[in-house]
Amino acid sequence: MRIGLRNLMLGFSVACALSTALHAQEGAQSADRASAAPKAEAAPAPVHDLTGVWMMRNPPGSQRAFTNYTFTKDPPEMTPWAEVKFKEAKASNGGQFTLKTTNDPVLTKCDPPGVPRVYFHPYPFEFVHTPKYTLMLYEYDHTVRRIYTDGRPIPTDPDLLWMGTSVGHWEGDTTLVVDTVGFNDKTWLDRLGHPHSDQLHVIERFRRVNRDHIELDITMEDPKALVKPWTTTFYYELRPKWELGEISCSGDYLDFSNFEK
Amino acid sequence: MGAKVPRAIIMFTVFLVVVSPTFAHHGKAAYDTKTIVTVKGTMTDFRFINPHVQLYFDVKNDKGEVEQWQAELTAPNKLTRAGWSKHTLTPGDSITASGYVSKNDPHTMWIDKLIGPDGEQLHLSEE
């Protein structure tokens, strides 16, 4: 019994330490990258294939709790235009909000999330390849992106859409590079409310480092909003047994009055 | 006893790790997250709906009075991947719920641990 109690207390300490580590918002990104190195026994990535359901999974001990709501520990350098818009934003970060205290357009109006704001929903996404395009299906609100891989160039005068217009190509056997332009300026970049303009250009590099893991390098360029590109790396893990379900942002989604008295 | 302790540690660890992402749609600001409250109740309604699954149950207090409680879990998709269905709970089921109580309503809870009618702890995480 005494040993059991000691084990329990030890476990409690370990759990607390683990929690503190995971919830801390500190940690150099270079260290994150090093800790994310694939294990030697991991199966190799297939060629030109990201098929499957993927879930965000930060490398253990990487101290990246900020990835619940923003891209980097430090904020981006914004233009004066963006600073004004950012001050109007009431964040929906980290769960410390109610629907009355945030003005996140996704949560309060069911606006489509945009890219890369879409990665801040704690739900999986799925890749489906076809000969001419790749579909990204996000569980959250049936969000679909169609990434053309038929060799067409990125449009120079795109219509302005919630999720933009995307073209993609493979670099090597296992990296899909996706360029997206043509966003309206109604969405946020993250859950803190960092703004973007219709000049936003997002580059996503999906590097399938082994069968079970994707490292996603995201670069946001927006000369009207960002002084310099904002970059990060997000981490995803394959979930072979999962299937996407329905999460529709409608009706009950906007009403938590009974639970937010 | 020796076999049960590690399981308790694992469950507690899982709770700590996943607690932030589970507050996905609306936040936890409405709840007192510093205190865990545990109540036994009898289910009156179970709504397996987006964005958060809702439980409604009666709790008999120390005075013998019946209190009507409501509680929420995470998204139904996440619970489906944890083995749940819309039939997991039905009216009349006895449950024991532990979680955070609303700052403004003592009978509203965010559940982080749930014992089902057969006495087994129900998984609340898809991972």
Side-chain angles (χ1 to χ4, degrees):
Chain A
M1 183 66 182
R2 190 184 299 168
I3 293 174
L5 186 60
R6 262 179 52 187
N7 283 346
L8 183 62
M9 294 183 69
L10 177 64
F12 184 86
S13 302
V14 170
C16 288
L18 179 60
S19 173
T20 302
L22 287 172
H23 288 253
Q25 297 171 18
E26 298 171 356
Q29 199 164 333
S30 58
D32 301 340
R33 295 293 296 272
S35 63
K39 295 176 182 175
E41 66 270 23
V47 174
H48 293 182
D49 189 2
L50 302 178
T51 301
V53 175
W54 300 86
M55 186 69 179
M56 177 180 268
R57 191 68 164 177
N58 282 316
S62 59
Q63 303 182 3
R64 289 167 55 88
F66 61 82
T67 59
N68 286 338
Y69 54 88
T70 193
F71 298 102
T72 52
K73 180 171 64 76
D74 298 319
E77 192 173 346
M78 289 180 282
T79 63
W81 175 86
E83 291 279 7
V84 170
K85 293 197 76 171
F86 183 58
K87 285 177 182 170
E88 298 168 356
K90 298 174 184 174
S92 65
N93 62 309
Q96 294 295 346
F97 65 96
T98 69
L99 292 180
K100 289 179 182 172
T101 63
T102 179
N103 59 1
D104 184 336
V106 174
L107 299 189
T108 58
K109 295 191 287 187
C110 283
D111 280 359
V115 183
R117 164 73 175 81
V118 67
Y119 293 111
F120 295 113
H121 292 281
Y123 305 108
F125 60 79
E126 182 173 11
F127 275 108
V128 178
H129 295 297
T130 80
K132 293 186 176 179
Y133 53 82
T134 289
L135 293 177
M136 284 195 78
L137 312 174
Y138 298 83
E139 184 169 64
Y140 174 75
D141 204 22
H142 319 287
T143 306
V144 177
R145 295 173 65 197
R146 188 178 294 245
I147 301 161
Y148 292 100
T149 53
D150 55 0
R152 70 182 66 184
I154 192 168
T156 55
D157 185 24
D159 293 336
L160 301 183
L161 308 173
W162 291 100
M163 302 301 289
T165 297
S166 299
V167 298
H169 68 276
W170 290 95
E171 283 186 5
D173 288 341
T174 56
T175 297
L176 179 66
V177 181
V178 178
D179 280 276
T180 308
V181 295
F183 296 101
N184 68 38
D185 61 0
K186 297 178 182 177
T187 60
W188 294 354
L189 291 173
D190 60 9
R191 292 180 74 143
L192 295 182
H194 287 105
H196 67 82
S197 74
D198 58 9
Q199 297 173 37
L200 175 65
H201 174 200
V202 179
I203 304 126
E204 296 156 281
R205 297 174 59 85
F206 296 91
R207 295 181 288 110
R208 190 168 187 176
V209 295
N210 56 41
R211 183 192 60 193
D212 299 332
H213 295 92
I214 285 176
E215 297 182 10
L216 167 58
D217 301 326
I218 302 172
T219 301
M220 293 155 271
E221 301 173 348
D222 188 337
K224 189 173 178 181
L226 299 171
V227 173
K228 58 183 180 183
W230 193 7
T231 63
T232 193
T233 300
F234 276 13
Y235 300 88
Y236 295 89
E237 195 168 72
L238 190 64
R239 291 286 181 272
K241 296 180 180 176
W242 286 16
E243 297 175 350
L244 297 192
E246 178 186 84
I247 296 178
S248 178
C249 192
S250 58
D252 295 336
Y253 225 101
L254 294 176
D255 182 12
F256 274 97
S257 55
N258 280 341
F259 287 89
E260 290 189 340
K261 293 174 182 175
Chain B
M1 180 68 187
K4 290 182 179 175
V5 170
R7 178 175 170 79
I9 294 168
I10 290 168
M11 292 310 298
F12 186 65
T13 305
V14 167
F15 158 67
L16 288 173
V17 170
V18 304
V19 66
S20 285
T22 56
F23 291 110
H25 182 69
H26 73 148
K28 60 184 175 183
Y31 293 92
D32 174 10
T33 56
K34 294 177 181 173
T35 307
I36 296 279
V37 173
T38 298
V39 291
K40 291 184 177 180
T42 302
M43 292 292 295
T44 58
D45 195 7
F46 178 55
R47 300 178 190 172
F48 201 66
I49 60 170
N50 277 306
H52 294 170
V53 171
Q54 300 171 14
L55 283 69
Y56 296 83
F57 49 92
D58 288 342
V59 174
K60 192 173 286 187
N61 65 22
D62 294 340
K63 300 174 184 174
E65 302 162 338
V66 173
E67 302 170 348
Q68 295 182 326
W69 281 62
Q70 61 179 9
E72 59 180 313
L73 295 168
T74 187
N77 292 12
K78 288 178 174 289
L79 290 180
T80 297
R81 290 189 282 263
W84 285 60
S85 78
K86 63 183 178 183
H87 302 298
T88 296
L89 295 174
T90 55
D93 284 347
S94 297
I95 60 163
T96 301
S98 301
Y100 309 130
V101 170
S102 167
K103 294 171 183 171
N104 299 314
D105 179 3
H107 298 155
T108 293
M109 174 186 282
W110 185 296
I111 295 176
D112 72 70
K113 179 183 172 185
L114 185 61
I115 308 294
D118 59 1
E120 293 291 321
Q121 185 169 335
L122 297 165
H123 290 285
L124 304 181
S125 168
E126 62 194 338
E127 297 284 8

